Amino acid sequence: QLEKLKEDNNWETLLVTDSSWSVCESGYESFGDWRPHRFGGETVTASKLLSNYTKETLNKCQWSAVKTVKGAEGVAIPQMVELNRIKEKIHPVAVRAAEENTWIFDMGTNFTGWTRIAFPQLHPNQKIRISYCDFLNPDGSFRDGLYEDYYIASGNPDEYFINKFNYKAYRYLKVSGLETAPDLSDITAYLIHT
């Protein structure tokens, strides 16, 4: 629902989601149960992403009716918080090979934010695993299984991953499924702050 506060301090409803809406499949899927240390991540299937949001592209989608559900009782109230804002861009300071086709990047500092990775040319359906941790194990190995995202390639040129629905707190980034490591300049982290 989209509302506007009018000059007389009353709210006007401009838009409401209802059974008249349609939906099409997205290339983004979130996973996890949002419990402490199980927040999950995102799977991006690049072959399902829309190249743009023009009328022509949207008309090619397979649209279907939405399912309506009964919402919780009560009045929905917006959470009044500051917006997330990008405060700084960070590039890795070092990279090292881990196991085969796996690379660990040191961002040089702990932070909370989004991550953009420009990939070298990928093969169709090539699956990339992106993992995050804030410190390494005492033996220098990566603390795996905490937070991760997945990217499934389309095979098109200039593919990249960027978080869309959540952000991570980390210093070390592990990218698995790539024969060669992206250049340090191909990875940009965005420190976000409210």
Side-chain angles (χ1 to χ4, degrees):
Q1 181 167 311
L2 178 64
E3 296 178 336
K4 171 177 94 170
L5 184 60
K6 299 187 303 183
E7 288 183 21
D8 64 2
N9 267 356
N10 288 310
W11 290 95
E12 176 185 359
T13 301
L14 301 175
L15 180 68
V16 176
T17 56
D18 58 22
S19 61
S20 70
W21 282 51
S22 297
V23 64
C24 73
E25 188 175 19
S26 169
Y28 288 91
E29 182 180 346
S30 62
F31 59 89
D33 61 15
W34 290 95
R35 302 228 188 270
H37 305 291
R38 298 191 321 222
F39 294 119
E42 302 172 35
T43 300
V44 178
T45 305
S47 62
K48 295 180 181 178
L49 297 176
L50 299 178
S51 58
N52 59 55
Y53 294 99
T54 63
K55 185 176 182 179
E56 179 181 320
T57 300
L58 293 173
N59 283 339
K60 292 178 185 176
C61 290
Q62 300 275 331
W63 294 96
S64 57
V66 297
K67 295 178 184 175
T68 57
V69 296
K70 182 171 172 53
E73 296 295 324
V75 177
I77 300 172
Q79 186 177 5
M80 304 305 281
V81 297
E82 293 181 46
L83 298 174
N84 285 332
R85 298 195 189 283
I86 296 171
K87 295 293 186 179
E88 183 180 348
K89 292 181 183 180
I90 303 168
H91 293 283
V93 296
V95 61
R96 66 178 169 89
E99 56 265 14
E100 184 178 357
N101 297 332
T102 301
W103 312 93
I104 297 176
F105 295 86
D106 180 355
M107 302 305 291
T109 187
N110 285 324
F111 69 96
T112 300
W114 298 305
T115 305
R116 184 185 192 281
I117 304 171
F119 295 115
Q121 182 63 50
L122 301 174
H123 306 290
N125 297 315
Q126 183 176 349
K127 188 172 186 177
I128 309 300
R129 180 179 179 225
I130 306 158
S131 307
Y132 311 81
C133 71
D134 51 359
F135 59 90
L136 301 174
N137 290 317
D139 65 358
S141 63
F142 194 87
R143 294 178 61 234
D144 235 338
L146 297 175
Y147 308 104
E148 57 195 16
D149 295 306
Y150 294 93
Y151 184 87
I152 302 169
S154 67
N156 293 330
D158 302 320
E159 292 191 74
Y160 66 91
F161 168 85
I162 189 166
N163 305 83
K164 183 170 182 130
F165 294 111
N166 56 29
Y167 51 84
K168 306 288 192 296
Y170 73 98
R171 174 178 175 164
Y172 298 95
L173 176 71
K174 183 166 90 168
V175 181
S176 306
L178 290 178
E179 295 172 11
T180 58
D183 292 334
L184 298 182
S185 61
D186 288 337
I187 296 177
T188 305
Y190 299 95
L191 169 67
I192 58 173
H193 192 274
T194 55

